[in-house]
């Protein structure tokens, strides 16, 4: 081919045409280097009929492609997924394609690279920054810029430590092969229910055809062991497998279970990887050498050579929805990738999303159930504690019955978990003298006090500042007071009540990498922790046989804030955390602290009648025309200039088309009216299920011009309404 249509990785541009110089060979999917003005950009050759260009020119005006990357072309199935994702979520195709080419170093061919690691030597001249760098780097290894980012110091600090001998260089072969998992390494002994479920999934893999299946099993029923049998069948068929996990903290426990079953670890893909690790994984996936990949949602867009099975574990998790950039939902995109690859997709969950359950009802998804726990383990007994009746002591947050249960559990040498989905020590800090409240300078959000790090932090933009000794408003010293509890405050209370107990705080602040997760699991399994105080990080994926008590500190927290899925999310979250109790031979107990014990969601949790809860929620959604029976889309208008954002939002609102079966609400200031220094306004679109909302929005926004300093984002099927 002498002329090529190229999707360059610049979201502001559409596809462009280039000349293929003599001697260069390209095909659809080829990854190329293309000139754009004085710059050079990566791009992907595309079929012209599938990606029309608005800038077609004659052959005599075409510029030559510069090079073809040393990497396999993107396969047709992946290109179709990129097209579908861009079309459905109204995103620039280049932004989606960029996720498939997320390791630019992987396109440069095989080579060695020099990385750096600490030697253990302490230099004679130590500064605060050098001390911070060595403490944070620990036993990590990486490029100088990666170590500098980990340590939150400049590159020059790391280079200075290299000269001082505190950090040494090491040559790394970044294309060394991965060990191959073995399907017959350690096959498990399955119960009758597990074997029946596994046989269905194995047959789907053997058929090599698209089939989505909901694997619905109660917590502790052994869902992982069941879908591992489908993974084993894919390995026998010489196919690749992708397993998606919602949290990076779950990766390390999963890797251990995988190693025990298959004799080696799978290939990991997540944001915590060094660039050399990402390069090695990307190339192994593209060549087909990486047989099983476990990763976060971005692993969906990697260029698998022969994908034969996709597993979405904890498929109900809202963290599978991407809230920045391309607003895709990994669960739904996984199903579409399975369709394009013609391979089965397993959605595993103890608390499936209503959208998934509706697909089962419609017959679009198959369903396999695991109704009971594996072996002798039984579901824990759950009790709701009415906080109006069982009031905690003044200045405390744990009700007397829960405190008594903690004492009993400690006396038996068993472990407890206190769950509160709120990081830090307190969600609000104010001055008792003048009433000043600490608010983020970049967001309309309160600063959260973190006493472990002695900082105030914004959980939306990441802004941090030290806790001042005096109020910045009235200059009164020692006048600051913490309002409300976070996990650190609950941990302090547990320590004060039980001074001999070993208490651990588990949040994204303390477990920020798979290695930290592995350290936590090791301490729990060794019995070195008595009471865990944690956020949603501990609600899923962990199996601790000696953990017999779970206390939910504030069950009402998830029902606040006007979330349209609040009841469902609360049910899922508390049901999941309750499932951490009694997973071994010892029985478990769960106490749910609430001000509304009579609420439908609380009654469903106590009685275990999930079917009645889901039926009522589904009926309410149907009556309201809410998903999955109707459609939502959000328009988020933002700018550093508040008036420009507001005027653009009003312009878009005034231009809203009148379409039967569609209503537009707004514009209105977003609940989070400022985020990262940008003022935000929102419009909400509510439409009947059959309406092509994307086509309406495409025509609507395409007819409007707005200032370049204003950003308009479209969120199809939104999960966050902030």
């Amino acid at each position: 081919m002498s002329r090529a249509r190229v999707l360059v990785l610049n979201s502001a541009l559409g596809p462009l045409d280039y000349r293929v110089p003599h001697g260069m060979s390209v095909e659809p999917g080829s990854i190329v280097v293309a000139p754009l003005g004085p710059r050079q950009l990566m791009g992907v050759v595309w079929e012209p009929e599938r990606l029309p260009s608005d800038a077609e020119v004659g052959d005599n005006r075409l510029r030559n492609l510069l090079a073809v990357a040393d990497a396999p072309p993107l396969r047709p199935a992946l290109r179709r997924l990129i097209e579908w994702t861009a079309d459905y979520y109204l995103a620039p195709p280049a932004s989606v394609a960029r996720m498939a080419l997320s390791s630019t170093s992987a396109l440069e061919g095989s080579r060695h690279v020099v990385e750096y690691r600490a030697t253990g030597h302490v230099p004679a001249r130590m500064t605060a920054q050098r001390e911070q760098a060595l403490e944070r780097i620990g036993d990590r290894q990486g490029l100088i810029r990666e170590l500098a980012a980990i340590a939150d110091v400049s590159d020059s600090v790391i280079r200075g430590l290299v000269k001082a001998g505190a950090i040494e260089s090491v040559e790394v072969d970044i294309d060394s092969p991965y060990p191959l998992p073995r399907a017959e390494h350690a096959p498990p002994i399955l119960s009758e229910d597990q074997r029946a479920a596994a046989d269905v999934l194995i047959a789907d893999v053997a058929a090599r055809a698209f089939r989505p299946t909901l694997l619905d099993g109660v917590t502790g029923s052994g869902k992982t062991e069941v879908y591992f049998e489908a993974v084993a069948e894919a390995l026998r068929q010489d196919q690749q497998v992708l397993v998606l996990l919602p949290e990076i903290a779950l990766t390390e426990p999963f890797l251990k279970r995988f190693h025990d079953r298959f004799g080696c670890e799978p290939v990991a893909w997540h944001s915590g990887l060094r660039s050399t690790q990402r390069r090695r994984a990307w190339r192994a996936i593209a060549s087909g050498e990486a047989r099983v990949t476990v990763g976060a949602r971005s692993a969906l867009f990697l260029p698998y050579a022969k994908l034969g099975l996709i597993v979405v574990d904890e498929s109900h998790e809202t963290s599978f929805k991407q809230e920045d950039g391309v607003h895709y939902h990994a669960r739904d995109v996984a199903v579409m990738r399975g369709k394009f690859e013609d391979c089965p997709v397993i959605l595993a969950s103890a608390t499936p999303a209503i959208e998934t359950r509706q697909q089962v009802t419609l017959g679009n998804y198959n369903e396999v159930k695991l109704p009971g726990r594996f072996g002798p383990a039984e579901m824990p007994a759950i009790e709701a504690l009415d906080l109006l009746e069982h009031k905690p002591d003044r200045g405390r947050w744990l009700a007397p019955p829960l405190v008594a249960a903690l004492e009993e559990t400690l006396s038996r040498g068993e472990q407890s978990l206190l769950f509160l989905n709120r990081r830090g020590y307190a969600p609000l800090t104010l001055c008792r003298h003048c009433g000043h409240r600490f608010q983020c300078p970049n967001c309309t959000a309160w600063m959260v006090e973190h006493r472990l790090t002695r900082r105030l932090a914004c959980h939306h933009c990441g802004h941090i500042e030290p806790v001042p000794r005096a109020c910045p408003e009235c200059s009164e010293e020692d006048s600051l007071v913490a309002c409300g509890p976070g996990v650190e405050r609950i941990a302090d209370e547990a320590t004060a009540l039980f001074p001999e107990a070993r208490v651990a705080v588990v949040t994204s602040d303390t477990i920020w990498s798979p290695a930290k997760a592995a350290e936590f699991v090791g301490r729990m399994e060794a019995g070195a922790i008595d009471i865990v105080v944690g956020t949603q990080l501990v609600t899923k994926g962990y199996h601790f046989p000696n953990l017999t008590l779970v206390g939910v500190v504030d069950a009402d927290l998830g029902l606040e804030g006007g979330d349209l899925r609040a009841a469902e999310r609360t049910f899922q979250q508390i049901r999941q955390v309750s499932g951490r109790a009694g997973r071994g031979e010892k029985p478990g107990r769960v106490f749910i602290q609430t001000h509304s014990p009579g609420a439908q969601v609380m009654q469903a949790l106590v009685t275990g009648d999930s079917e009645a809860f889901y039926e009522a929620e589904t009926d309410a959604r149907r009556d309201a025309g809410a998903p999955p029976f109707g459609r939502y889309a959000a328009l988020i208008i933002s700018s550093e200039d508040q008036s420009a954002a507001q005027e653009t939002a009003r312009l878009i609102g005034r231009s809203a088309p009148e379409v039967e079966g569609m209503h537009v609400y707004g514009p209105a200031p977003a609940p989070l009216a400022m985020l990262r220094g940008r003022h935000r306004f929102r419009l909400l679109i509510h439409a009947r299920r059959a309406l092509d909302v994307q086509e309406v929005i495409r025509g609507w926004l395409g007819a409007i011009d707005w200032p370049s300093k204003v950003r308009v984002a479209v969120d199809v099927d939104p999960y966050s309404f902030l």
Side-chain angles (χ1 to χ4, degrees):
M1 68 195 290
S2 60
R3 181 183 180 119
R5 176 70 45 83
V6 178
L7 179 63
V8 293
L9 299 189
N10 183 326
S11 58
L13 299 173
L16 302 174
D17 288 349
Y18 288 89
R19 179 184 297 111
V20 181
H22 181 71
M24 179 183 290
S25 176
V26 299
E27 61 182 285
S30 293
I31 304 166
V32 296
V33 180
L36 185 69
R39 295 176 294 160
Q40 297 180 3
L41 295 179
M42 298 299 300
V44 181
V45 176
W46 221 271
E47 300 95 327
E49 66 274 12
R50 300 196 65 92
L51 212 59
S53 174
D54 295 330
E56 288 198 45
V57 297
D59 290 351
N60 62 325
R61 296 179 58 193
L62 296 180
R63 299 182 68 181
N64 283 348
L65 289 174
L66 301 177
V68 182
D70 177 25
L74 300 188
R75 294 173 58 250
L78 179 52
R79 299 202 300 278
R80 301 298 82 81
L81 182 77
I82 291 170
E83 292 168 1
W84 179 87
T85 304
D87 180 70
Y88 187 86
Y89 292 104
L90 295 173
S95 297
V96 185
R98 186 181 295 278
M99 294 190 287
L101 303 178
S102 51
S103 175
T104 52
S105 63
L107 309 176
E108 298 171 3
S110 178
R111 60 187 176 87
H112 290 71
V113 72
V114 175
E115 293 187 334
Y116 295 84
R117 65 188 179 194
T119 62
H121 170 70
V122 179
R125 190 177 73 85
M126 284 293 285
T127 64
Q129 284 198 313
R130 284 187 169 189
E131 186 176 343
Q132 175 178 310
L134 292 175
E135 179 185 350
R136 294 192 180 185
I137 290 170
D139 58 358
R140 300 191 199 187
Q141 181 174 308
L143 305 176
I144 282 182
R145 67 172 181 272
E146 292 172 336
L147 295 184
I150 290 169
D152 195 19
V153 297
S154 66
D155 289 7
S156 61
V157 174
I158 304 299
R159 296 186 193 280
L161 287 169
V162 173
K163 290 181 180 178
I167 291 178
E168 64 180 356
S169 62
V170 56
E171 189 175 77
V172 179
D173 178 4
I174 54 180
D175 282 333
S176 57
Y178 287 98
L180 297 177
R182 302 186 302 280
E184 312 305 331
H185 173 70
I189 299 173
L190 301 179
S191 68
E192 287 186 15
D193 286 342
Q194 287 178 315
R195 174 47 59 193
D199 287 345
V200 173
L201 302 181
I202 288 170
D204 287 348
V205 174
R208 297 197 182 187
F210 171 60
R211 192 186 194 195
T213 297
L214 169 61
L215 178 57
D216 183 357
V218 299
T219 53
S221 60
K223 293 185 292 296
T224 304
E225 285 71 21
V226 168
Y227 74 65
F228 271 178
E229 294 309 287
V231 172
E233 180 62 22
L235 293 174
R236 296 186 194 101
Q237 299 279 341
D238 194 31
Q239 298 289 296
Q240 288 177 294
V241 178
L242 166 62
V243 181
L244 292 179
L245 299 176
E247 299 280 356
I248 187 175
L250 296 180
T251 305
E252 196 66 24
F254 179 91
L255 297 182
K256 182 178 183 300
R257 295 174 74 175
F258 188 94
H259 184 280
D260 292 343
R261 171 63 180 87
F262 295 104
C264 69
E265 291 189 353
V267 175
W269 183 270
H270 51 74
S271 59
L273 296 180
R274 310 193 306 270
S275 65
T276 50
Q277 292 173 316
R278 294 175 74 85
R279 179 191 191 281
R280 180 188 179 203
W282 194 97
R283 292 187 70 85
I285 288 166
S287 69
E289 174 208 330
R291 301 296 302 281
V292 181
T293 302
V294 56
R297 55 184 176 242
S298 60
L300 258 178
F301 293 93
L302 294 174
Y304 302 95
K306 45 184 177 179
L307 193 56
L309 173 65
I310 301 172
V311 180
V312 185
D313 205 350
E314 309 288 357
S315 62
H316 63 279
E317 273 294 316
T318 56
S319 54
F320 278 126
K321 172 73 174 183
Q322 171 73 28
E323 298 293 352
D324 295 314
V326 181
H327 292 256
Y328 69 96
H329 197 302
R331 179 194 65 218
D332 300 335
V333 176
V335 173
M336 292 307 299
R337 176 134 205 194
K339 182 176 181 178
F340 293 127
E341 298 280 358
D342 204 20
C343 74
V345 180
I346 299 171
L347 307 178
S349 176
T351 53
I354 289 176
E355 288 85 350
T356 303
R357 293 169 65 94
Q358 179 64 10
Q359 291 296 329
V360 171
T361 301
L362 294 174
N364 297 329
Y365 293 0
N366 184 33
E367 182 178 32
V368 175
K369 280 183 170 289
L370 292 172
R373 282 190 158 180
F374 178 77
E378 298 288 341
M379 293 298 290
I382 301 178
E383 180 181 342
L385 296 179
D386 186 347
L387 290 175
L388 298 178
E389 179 183 348
H390 303 285
K391 294 182 179 180
D393 294 338
R394 185 175 179 81
R396 304 284 191 185
W397 308 96
L398 304 180
L402 178 54
V403 173
L406 285 166
E407 188 171 10
E408 292 172 21
T409 305
L410 286 168
S411 68
R412 292 195 299 267
E414 297 167 1
Q415 295 167 315
S416 303
L417 165 63
L418 296 175
F419 168 70
L420 177 64
N421 203 29
R422 184 183 276 155
R423 292 159 51 204
Y425 183 84
L428 172 64
T429 299
L430 55 77
C431 173
R432 65 162 62 91
H433 184 258
C434 72
H436 172 75
R437 300 183 179 195
F438 286 82
Q439 181 171 323
C440 175
N442 308 314
C443 309
T444 47
W446 305 123
M447 298 288 284
V448 178
E449 182 180 355
H450 287 251
R451 290 203 175 171
L452 292 178
T453 56
R454 298 186 297 278
R455 289 178 174 178
L456 295 170
C458 173
H459 290 170
H460 297 283
C461 73
H463 174 77
I464 58 174
E465 57 189 56
V467 180
R469 179 173 178 81
C471 172
E473 188 73 22
C474 67
S475 301
E476 188 78 12
E477 292 193 1
D478 299 324
S479 63
L480 305 184
V481 59
C483 300
V487 286
E488 293 177 13
R489 194 168 198 168
I490 299 302
D492 281 359
E493 181 175 343
T495 300
L497 289 167
F498 309 106
E500 302 302 317
R502 295 160 297 179
V503 179
V505 175
V506 178
T507 73
S508 57
D509 300 311
T510 60
I511 296 190
W512 61 80
S513 69
K516 283 291 183 181
E519 179 186 334
F520 162 64
V521 171
R523 292 174 63 203
M524 283 292 288
E525 292 177 342
I529 298 173
D530 298 312
I531 301 174
V532 179
V533 185
T535 60
Q536 52 86 26
L537 272 187
V538 293
T539 64
K540 49 195 172 287
Y542 292 111
H543 176 80
F544 303 124
N546 200 40
L547 198 159
T548 59
L549 175 67
V550 167
V552 180
V553 177
D554 186 354
D556 307 323
L557 184 61
L559 297 174
E560 301 170 358
D563 183 349
L564 299 175
R565 295 179 176 87
E568 182 189 16
R569 286 190 188 180
T570 298
F571 179 82
Q572 291 169 336
Q573 201 168 67
I574 297 179
R575 185 74 177 264
Q576 288 281 340
V577 74
S578 299
R580 299 312 105 199
R583 295 174 70 92
E585 296 182 359
K586 300 174 183 177
R589 293 184 297 167
V590 179
F591 290 91
I592 302 174
Q593 296 190 164
T594 174
H595 288 93
S596 307
Q600 183 185 57
V601 63
M602 302 304 168
Q603 289 295 307
L605 288 164
V606 171
T607 63
D609 193 352
S610 59
E611 289 304 317
F613 170 77
Y614 274 119
E615 185 177 336
E617 278 292 299
T618 302
D619 288 344
R621 297 261 192 103
R622 186 183 289 108
D623 292 343
F629 306 101
R631 304 196 63 190
Y632 287 132
L635 304 181
I636 303 100
I637 299 93
S638 66
S639 174
E640 294 179 0
D641 183 336
Q642 183 176 11
S643 62
Q646 186 172 29
E647 284 305 312
T648 301
R650 288 174 175 170
L651 172 63
I652 293 174
R654 287 194 302 267
S655 306
E658 293 187 9
V659 178
E660 184 180 355
M662 186 183 93
H663 301 278
V664 178
Y665 303 99
L672 195 57
M674 180 185 281
L675 178 64
R676 302 185 185 97
R678 299 182 69 87
H679 299 274
R680 305 167 73 244
F681 293 83
R682 292 179 66 103
L683 293 95
L684 179 65
I685 301 157
H686 182 199
R688 69 179 192 274
R689 188 73 202 168
L691 182 68
D692 188 346
V693 173
Q694 287 90 340
E695 189 60 33
V696 172
I697 295 175
R698 206 177 279 116
W700 174 11
L701 296 183
I704 302 173
D705 291 322
W706 54 80
S708 58
K709 60 184 175 182
V710 176
R711 187 182 303 154
V712 178
V714 182
D715 187 358
V716 176
D717 302 336
Y719 269 63
S720 170
F721 294 85
L722 294 178

